[in-house]
Each structure stands twice: as structure tokens, then as C-alpha cells.
Amino acid sequence: MEIRVMENIFDENDRTADELRAKFREKNVFVINLLGSPGSGKTSLLEKTLGALSKKFSVAVIEGDLFTARDAERIDRLGVPVVQINTAGGCHLDAPMIKRALDSIDLDALDVLIIENVGNLVCPASFDLGETIRAVVLSITEGDDKPLKYPIIFKDAAIVLLNKIDLLEHTNFDLNSARSDLQSINPTVEIIETSCTKDSGLENWNGWLENKILSGSEKV
Ligand code: MG
Ligand code: ZN
């Protein structure tokens, strides 16, 4: 019984995600599903990214959080349009939540939509949001064993940001083994080392993202 219920949930989610993907394509909006553990640095990275990105593109953000609007307030301070989704304890965003959030976003005026998912390496991986790409933030302090322990979230990522790289010397994180594990799960994944406190690797990430947006938004 429980299995049947889960299948129905995924089917409904996938139908809505396909609908969203078609709409994003029609409106030429590039959508990033930003994933990672709580405390991996998703919002800090987003703040740094928006600074560069919003000079070139019209950008909006959807913030997924269990209870607070703290991250949305941080984005709002940058003058970027932001919609908060509170999942009230739910540990992931799903496509119907994104569909409702779009009521408050003008897709015609938009180039890029960034969705910061609920901090969690497990079930957000199973919920397609109609995104163009997935980006996963994995911070050095989480440990290099995470790719093999949570392969599903890394499998479909276009890019993994190894964040808080400035803390490397204070940990036993093995960069080579993290990189080779990621490549074994996902041979085409891009991997960039970043630090938001030291401002390192951010130009690489922003440049990579800009290229993706420009090539992804070319009309077919
Ligand atoms: Mg956050
Ligand atoms: Zn969940």
C-alpha cells in the first residue's frame, strides 16, 4: 500500500514538473535547482552569484525552507525578487509548490530562476521541479564520503561546488577521492572549488553558469 502511495506522489510530481519545464522553455527561462545539506553554504553562494548574475540577466529566486523566511530576507536585501515557500516541516520542494509560487513571478520578464531547495541530500533528489539544471553544493566540512553515501543527488547534477574550500587544511577531506567518486557516479559532472568567505572560485562558477544560461536559452 505504502509503495503504491509513493508511486502516485512521484507520478503527480513528474506530470507537474513536465508542465513546468514546457512553460519555462516557452518563456525562455533558465531554471537552476540548487541543492545541498543544511549549512553547506547555498544561500551565501547564492548571494555571491546574484551580485554578478543580476548585472547581466533578469533573475528571481524561490527560497524553500522548513519554517523561517531568513534566507528570503537575505535575498530581498539584494533587491532580487524572491518568493518564500515554507514547507512547514516538509523536507523537500515539489513541483506543485513551484507551480503555486509562479503565481507571484512574471516569467515573461525573467531570464533566470534560481530555486534554493530545502537543505537535504536525500529526498529533494527524487522531486523533479522542471529545472534546466541541478547544482549541488557540497561543503568540505561535510566530509568526502558524501558522494558515495548520497549518490542519487549527485547523479543528475550538472555541477558540484566543493564549497568552503578555504577550510580544507582543517579537515581530512580528500579532494582526489571526492572528485573521483563524483566522476564515477556522474562522468559528465563539472566540479568547481569555491569559498564564499575568501571569494575564491566564484568567477569560475559564475562564468560556467553564464555560459550555460546563454547556450541553454538559445531558442531552438
Ligand atoms: Mg539557505
Ligand atoms: Zn523530503
Side-chain angles (χ1 to χ4, degrees), residues 41-212:
K42 296 184 295 302
T43 312
S44 297
L45 186 90
L46 193 49
E47 288 174 316
K48 296 283 184 181
T49 305
L50 289 170
L53 210 61
S54 54
K55 287 192 189 112
K56 296 182 178 160
F57 303 98
S58 159
V59 189
V61 171
I62 293 176
E63 274 292 340
D65 261 306
L66 284 84
F67 299 106
T68 70
R70 289 188 175 194
D71 289 356
E73 285 157 10
R74 286 169 64 180
I75 303 305
D76 184 57
R77 257 173 248 142
L78 301 173
V80 173
V82 56
V83 178
Q84 174 74 52
I85 299 175
N86 277 134
T87 58
C91 46
H92 60 268
L93 295 177
D94 63 25
M97 292 176 195
I98 300 301
K99 191 178 172 184
R100 283 192 295 278
L102 291 183
D103 290 343
S104 327
I105 296 174
D106 179 8
L107 290 182
D108 289 315
L110 206 63
D111 302 317
V112 181
L113 175 65
I114 306 180
I115 303 168
E116 183 184 338
N117 216 308
V118 178
N120 181 349
L121 286 183
V122 188
C123 50
S126 307
F127 288 85
D128 185 0
L129 304 180
E131 69 268 10
T132 320
I133 64 161
R134 289 183 170 191
V136 181
V137 182
L138 171 64
S139 65
I140 295 303
T141 48
E142 291 170 66
D144 55 30
D145 56 344
K146 295 305 172 289
L148 292 185
K149 285 176 93 168
Y150 302 96
I152 299 166
I153 203 150
F154 294 102
K155 187 174 62 70
D156 296 322
I159 184 163
V160 173
L161 299 158
L162 295 175
N163 196 29
K164 308 190 188 181
I165 193 70
D166 53 301
L167 299 179
L168 186 63
E169 60 181 310
H170 304 291
T171 70
N172 56 9
F173 192 101
D174 184 333
L175 269 184
N176 288 332
S177 79
R179 281 179 171 272
S180 72
D181 289 346
L182 284 168
Q183 273 148 358
S184 74
I185 296 163
N186 180 348
T188 60
V189 71
E190 178 79 25
I191 303 167
I192 295 181
E193 295 161 18
T194 52
S195 162
C196 295
T197 53
K198 302 280 186 245
D199 266 334
S200 67
L202 298 174
E203 276 177 28
N204 286 350
W205 151 243
N206 288 332
W208 180 90
L209 187 57
E210 255 180 67
N211 280 337
K212 278 278 166 194

